Amino acid sequence: EPEVTQTPSHQVTQMGQEVILRCVPISNHLYFYWYRQILGQKVEFLVSFYNNEISEKSEIFDDQFSVERPDGSNFTLKIRSTKLEDSAMYFCASGWGTVASNQPQHFGDGTRLSIL
Amino acid sequence: RKEVEQDPGPFNVPEGATVAFNCTYSNSASQSFFWYRQDCRKEPKLLMSVYSSGNEDGRFTAQLNRASQYISLLIRDSKLSDSATYLCVVNIGRHDMRFGAGTRLTVKP
């Protein structure tokens, strides 16, 4: 069964540094997403991406965040100047259609980001 | 009112028991509903979509009541492997999925 893959599985970074989280979505999917889950809390939507542009973003996705699909297979999340509160598990997801049309999203196994 | 609210749990049940989870959502414009399960420190995995007429997948039955903005999940004949956190998920807009905080289930021998 095709999978969403994420790298690295664990990233440790000093506060204030930039970090890039990488994802390879399922190959025929058209919609791509990033979520985060702070330890012990619920999964939170960050951003959706379709047709090479952001389609929706949450209030969490501020100017320090950016997303890119540089080469048609990878999908990246960049955090420009990390803060302690950015420590979380970050999940990438992809889907064939919009969630509003009842198309589910399939999640990668996450990158645990630890900010020191 | 929270966007997606679930039973706080935890639920501790013996193998073979039937257990039901409830979920309410606040946005009356939501159109798509899902149940995911999440094992400890793992990614959410789709359990089932929830359709207006209700739907069943083996031991799992999902129901939707749009008038009450209420979703349920029933698990029959619980197995040890059903132990997980069950997440109610609802769409806000075309792409944005909102997750409930989850209900933890432990099935004991």
Side-chain angles (χ1 to χ4, degrees), chain B residues 18-22 35 47-51 53-64 70-77 86:
Chain B
T18 295
V19 61
F21 302 139
N22 302 318
W35 284 100
L47 184 64
M48 58 197 302
S49 300
V50 185
Y51 301 116
S53 53
N55 48 299
E56 191 173 300
D57 183 1
R59 297 180 294 108
F60 300 87
T61 301
Q63 296 281 348
L64 168 64
Y70 168 90
I71 306 158
S72 65
L73 176 69
L74 184 78
I75 305 175
R76 289 183 300 278
D77 189 23
Y86 288 83

Side-chain angles (χ1 to χ4, degrees), chain A residues 59-76:
Chain A
E59 56 278 5
I60 302 168
F61 194 88
D62 62 21
D63 290 345
Q64 69 162 338
F65 291 94
S66 61
V67 288
E68 202 175 38
R69 190 158 154 80
D71 57 13
S73 62
N74 290 288
F75 178 50
T76 61

Side-chain angles (χ1 to χ4, degrees), chain A residues 1-14:
Chain A
E1 187 177 319
E3 290 181 341
V4 176
T5 56
Q6 291 186 242
T7 54
S9 55
H10 189 194
Q11 174 81 46
V12 182
T13 302
Q14 292 287 334

Side-chain angles (χ1 to χ4, degrees), chain A residues 29-48:
Chain A
H29 284 180
L30 302 175
Y31 297 84
F32 314 110
Y33 309 87
W34 283 101
Y35 291 82
R36 78 172 186 192
Q37 187 174 29
I38 295 169
L39 187 64
Q41 297 187 24
K42 64 180 181 178
V43 176
E44 298 174 291
F45 171 76
L46 292 177
V47 66
S48 61

Side-chain angles (χ1 to χ4, degrees), chain A residues 31 33 35 37 39 42-43 45 48 55-56 89 91 98-105 107-109, chain B residues 31-34 36 38 41-44 46 49 51 91-101:
Chain A
Y31 297 84
Y33 309 87
Y35 291 82
Q37 187 174 29
L39 187 64
K42 64 180 181 178
V43 176
F45 171 76
S48 61
S55 41
E56 283 181 42
M89 183 74 90
F91 293 110
T98 66
V99 69
S101 58
N102 217 38
Q103 294 296 320
Q105 298 172 15
F107 285 73
D109 56 6
Chain B
Q31 303 159 281
S32 299
F33 312 92
F34 308 93
Y36 280 73
Q38 187 175 31
R41 295 183 177 261
K42 300 281 193 177
E43 76 274 22
L46 178 69
S49 300
Y51 301 116
N91 83 296
I92 306 287
R94 294 186 73 226
H95 305 284
D96 184 348
M97 292 209 303
R98 296 299 167 108
F99 285 72

